[in-house]
Amino acid sequence: MSVENAKKIMMEHFANTARRFGLSELYGYIYGLLFFEDEPLSLGEIAERTGYSLSHVSTALKLLENVGLVKRIKKPGDKKAYYTAIKNIREWRKEAYYKKIEEDIRQTRENLLRALKEIENDESEEAKKIRQRIEFALRRNAIAEKIINIFLKHEDEEILQALLECLEKKLNSKNP
């Protein structure tokens, strides 16, 4: 098998991943192209190599940059923007994925507390039911926050493996 065939296999993998997330395969092709490059590429170079238009590639790069998979780089003395892939998936997972979950958890907590405040003096049956649901959601939210903090603070696979084993043991003891 040649290096080029190996690259093609992975490019198709990235394209299929993009499709699974409801995106054009272009996103996967761009990421795959940048993933295998040692040096950053310009917008024009990426468009030329993928066969897509500058506008399509530009739009895709903006999204890939926003989700943290691609980084824009400026070279001294050059007005062009260059792009490189984030190749350390662990770094991406931590910075882009877990941070977004952490932000969602924080926003959820804030909104649950705001909703709870809105009904704090209401003693109607409906308010009591809503209060119970919100308090349950707050407890779940606190657990989710603790779990995501473990992922953010402990990249070590050994820690994550220990967490997984603990969870599996607990689940197995409930379902013998």
Side-chain angles (χ1 to χ4, degrees), residues 76-130:
D78 193 340
K79 292 183 180 186
K80 287 183 190 176
Y82 291 84
Y83 299 87
T84 187
I86 300 300
K87 295 175 182 163
N88 182 338
I89 298 300
R90 181 183 288 176
E91 176 186 323
W92 172 80
R93 187 175 61 198
K94 180 180 178 186
E95 292 302 318
Y97 186 69
Y98 292 149
K99 291 283 187 183
K100 288 189 185 321
I101 294 172
E102 182 183 44
E103 176 62 18
D104 183 65
I105 290 169
R106 185 191 61 73
Q107 287 180 6
T108 299
R109 182 183 59 248
E110 288 175 6
N111 288 320
L112 287 167
L113 291 171
R114 282 182 45 224
L116 198 55
K117 186 155 183 63
E118 285 295 317
I119 59 171
E120 70 183 343
N121 295 322
D122 189 336
E123 293 302 321
S124 69
E125 286 304 311
E126 184 179 15
K128 288 178 183 177
K129 282 194 288 187
I130 291 172

Side-chain angles (χ1 to χ4, degrees), residues 39-42 45 73-83:
E39 295 296 320
L41 298 176
S42 70
E45 291 170 319
I73 296 170
K74 287 292 223 178
K75 293 182 179 181
D78 193 340
K79 292 183 180 186
K80 287 183 190 176
Y82 291 84
Y83 299 87

Side-chain angles (χ1 to χ4, degrees), residues 29-79:
Y29 288 135
I30 290 172
Y31 181 77
L33 174 66
L34 294 173
F35 185 84
F36 290 111
E37 286 297 318
D38 293 329
E39 295 296 320
L41 298 176
S42 70
L43 173 69
E45 291 170 319
I46 296 167
E48 185 180 313
R49 291 212 201 159
T50 60
Y52 286 86
S53 70
L54 287 172
S55 64
H56 281 106
V57 170
S58 176
T59 300
L61 282 166
K62 285 176 188 168
L63 182 126
L64 290 167
E65 190 177 5
N66 284 339
V67 298
L69 285 172
V70 168
K71 187 175 179 182
R72 184 190 324 214
I73 296 170
K74 287 292 223 178
K75 293 182 179 181
D78 193 340
K79 292 183 180 186

